[in-house]
Amino acid sequence: MIDRSRLKQLHTLEEERFVARTSQSRELFEKAKGVMPGGVPMSWMTKWPGKYPLFVASAQGSHLVDVDGNEYIDLCLGDTGSMTGHLPEATVAAISAQLKRGMTAMLPTDDAVAVSAELARRFGLPLWQFTVSATDANRHAIRFSRLITGKSKIVVIDRCYHGSVDETFATLDASGATVMREGNIGAPVPLDVTTRVVEFNDLAGMETALKHGDVAAILMEPAMTNVGIVLPDNGYLKAVGELAKTYGVVWIIDETHTISVGPGGMTTELGLTPDILTIGKAIGGGIPTGTFGMTHEMASQISKKSEREVIDTGGIGGTLAGNALSLAAMRATLTEVLTESNFKKMIALGNRWCDGVEAAITELSLPWHVNRLGARGEYLFQSDAPRTGGEAARAGDFELEQYIHLRLLNDGFLLTPFHNMALMSPYTFQRDVDAHTSAFRVMCQELVS
Ligand SMILES: Cc1ncc(COP(=O)(O)O)c(C=O)c1O
């Protein structure tokens, strides 16, 4: 439906538009190339659309300003790291107060107790531990699962993402075997040694994977969010939980992105009972943090198998884990920013964004689909909702995505660089959403004309 040579022409125009309005970013990028590989602080940032990334001058609420003074409506929100909106007042106040009392001492503060109690109230798991990232929370959950079960393999969902966790960069090949994912850098061992991959929404596949008797844990998001959004079939998640119980496998749910459905994520929304729950990003209001919660049963088994004398060298840790600053940030973010009433507002905006995008797609008969996950919305390039990560990945269109992201960036909207996701914060305005809807419609019209 979209003429590819026209798409290339349109993209060239957007590249020119980008270069013409971002001279300060370009200048910084030229300097950056001399001191950072690819001119970016982290290699994947080369994926941002345009010949170089924007350099940020400031960000507040749902808006971001680059070093050239261009203002953007931020629908990326640090890929959920700033789902609270940039500089949420309560979090900033708590951080500012904590800065006068010390940042990290490798000892607990009273905030650790308050945050654990609040996490327990929200997610239903009684006991909590802290890390500096969601990646670390997942890594630690996997290690503890191996300790508890004495088994080695981890089951993950095809096309999942849980941070830079070695065991998760596996996929299914055409014959259904577990193989290394394309682009996996420096894997320590072949992935079929550590991992078994199953498709999302495939209960029979899950049972086959568990039947081998060598699985320590299932690590999964309750809805996939990193290959576009893939929603669970009715009853799928509870059935996975039952299978985990039947086969004596630890069920780990990663709510890092799916917290977009409400204060307790999909776990609370759907009444799920994981053994371990991991989360990071948004709950620190922008300050690095991660955490994992567990049942009393898990904690008691871990405790029986851990030795105090060597507990600091057991593969679980992080010098800055549980630091005073991130706990102060989490306490304020959880109790005053990511509240029930703010979620109501964010979810209403998420639906408004999805309605707007859906209306343009329908009007222009584009074979695209919009999926909703509370405050998060996403479109993908096939007409029906995907049921598996594999299906969603096959609907990917890198060339088209790069164009859309650059075009919308030039129009003043920041989307995640990875797929077509938009996220709402408590500081996002209805007019931000409506402005995106208008720009999106015009862009689609030009694409098909
Ligand atoms: C579901 C999920 N879990 C974990 C992570 C890792 O988060 P971080 O990079 O903050 O460690 C991500 C990052 O995108 C994620 O999407």
Side-chain angles (χ1 to χ4, degrees), residues 79 133-136 138 161-164 221 225-226 254 256-257 281:
D79 196 25
S133 67
T135 298
D136 273 353
N138 284 323
Y161 185 76
H162 297 280
S164 45
E221 288 187 282
T225 65
N226 284 298
D254 181 345
T256 302
H257 279 181
K281 298 201 189 187

Coordinates of all heavy atoms in Angstrom, one line a residue, residues 79 133-136 138 161-164 221 225-226 254 256-257 281, ligand 1:
D79 N 11.4 5.7 27.6 CA 10.9 4.3 27.5 C 10.5 3.8 28.8 O 10.9 2.7 29.3 CB 12.0 3.4 26.9 CG 11.4 2.1 26.4 OD1 10.2 2.1 26.1 OD2 12.1 1.1 26.3
S133 N 18.6 -1.5 38.8 CA 17.9 -1.6 37.5 C 16.9 -2.8 37.5 O 17.1 -3.7 38.3 CB 18.9 -1.7 36.4 OG 19.5 -2.9 36.4
A134 N 16.0 -2.7 36.6 CA 15.1 -3.8 36.4 C 15.9 -5.0 35.8 O 15.6 -6.2 36.1 CB 14.0 -3.4 35.4
T135 N 16.9 -4.7 35.0 CA 17.8 -5.8 34.5 C 18.3 -6.6 35.7 O 18.2 -7.9 35.7 CB 19.0 -5.2 33.7 OG1 18.4 -4.5 32.6 CG2 19.9 -6.3 33.3
D136 N 18.9 -5.9 36.7 CA 19.4 -6.6 37.8 C 18.4 -7.4 38.6 O 18.6 -8.5 39.1 CB 20.1 -5.6 38.8 CG 21.6 -5.4 38.4 OD1 22.1 -6.1 37.5 OD2 22.2 -4.5 38.9
N138 N 15.8 -8.8 37.4 CA 15.6 -10.1 36.7 C 16.7 -11.1 36.8 O 16.5 -12.3 37.0 CB 15.3 -9.8 35.2 CG 13.9 -9.2 35.0 OD1 13.0 -9.6 35.6 ND2 13.8 -8.3 34.1
Y161 N 11.8 -9.0 26.0 CA 12.9 -8.2 26.4 C 12.8 -8.0 27.9 O 11.7 -7.5 28.4 CB 13.0 -6.9 25.7 CG 14.2 -6.1 26.0 CD1 15.5 -6.5 25.5 CD2 14.2 -5.1 26.9 CE1 16.6 -5.8 25.9 CE2 15.4 -4.4 27.3 CZ 16.6 -4.8 26.7 OH 17.7 -4.1 27.1
H162 N 13.8 -8.3 28.7 CA 13.8 -8.1 30.1 C 15.1 -7.3 30.6 O 15.5 -7.5 31.7 CB 13.7 -9.4 30.8 CG 12.4 -10.2 30.5 ND1 11.2 -9.9 31.2 CD2 12.2 -11.2 29.7 CE1 10.3 -10.7 30.7 NE2 10.8 -11.5 29.8
G163 N 15.7 -6.5 29.7 CA 16.9 -5.9 30.0 C 18.1 -6.8 29.5 O 17.8 -7.8 28.8
S164 N 19.3 -6.4 29.8 CA 20.4 -7.2 29.3 C 20.7 -8.4 30.1 O 21.7 -8.5 30.8 CB 21.7 -6.2 29.2 OG 21.8 -5.5 30.3
E221 N 6.7 -11.2 30.8 CA 5.8 -10.0 31.0 C 4.4 -10.5 30.9 O 4.1 -11.4 30.0 CB 6.0 -9.0 29.9 CG 7.3 -8.2 29.9 CD 7.2 -7.1 28.9 OE1 7.4 -7.4 27.7 OE2 7.0 -5.9 29.2
T225 N 5.5 -6.2 25.6 CA 5.5 -4.8 25.3 C 6.8 -4.3 24.5 O 6.9 -3.2 24.3 CB 5.5 -3.9 26.6 OG1 6.8 -4.2 27.3 CG2 4.4 -4.2 27.5
N226 N 7.6 -5.3 24.2 CA 8.9 -4.9 23.6 C 9.0 -5.4 22.1 O 10.1 -5.3 21.6 CB 10.0 -5.4 24.4 CG 10.2 -4.6 25.7 OD1 10.5 -3.4 25.6 ND2 10.1 -5.1 26.9
D254 N 7.5 -9.9 35.2 CA 8.2 -8.7 35.0 C 7.1 -7.6 34.7 O 6.6 -7.6 33.6 CB 9.2 -8.8 33.9 CG 10.0 -7.6 33.7 OD1 9.7 -6.5 34.1 OD2 11.1 -7.7 33.0
T256 N 7.7 -4.3 34.7 CA 8.4 -3.0 34.4 C 7.7 -2.1 33.4 O 7.6 -0.9 33.7 CB 9.9 -3.3 33.9 OG1 10.5 -4.1 34.8 CG2 10.6 -2.0 33.6
H257 N 7.1 -2.7 32.4 CA 6.3 -1.8 31.5 C 4.8 -2.0 31.7 O 4.0 -1.0 31.5 CB 6.6 -2.3 30.0 CG 7.9 -1.7 29.5 ND1 8.3 -2.0 28.2 CD2 8.8 -0.9 30.0 CE1 9.4 -1.3 28.0 NE2 9.8 -0.7 29.1
K281 N 12.5 1.1 36.4 CA 12.1 2.2 35.6 C 11.2 3.2 36.4 O 11.7 3.9 37.2 CB 11.5 1.8 34.3 CG 12.5 1.0 33.4 CD 12.0 1.0 32.0 CE 12.8 0.0 31.1 NZ 12.5 0.2 29.7
Ligands
LIG1 C1 9.9 -5.5 30.5 C2 11.3 -5.0 30.8 N1 12.0 -5.5 31.9 C3 13.2 -5.0 32.2 C4 13.8 -4.0 31.4 C5 15.2 -3.6 31.8 O1 15.1 -2.3 32.3 P1 16.5 -1.5 32.6 O2 17.1 -1.3 31.3 O3 16.1 -0.3 33.3 O4 17.3 -2.4 33.5 C6 13.1 -3.5 30.4 C7 13.7 -2.4 29.5 O5 13.2 -2.0 28.5 C8 11.8 -4.0 30.0 O6 11.2 -3.5 29.0

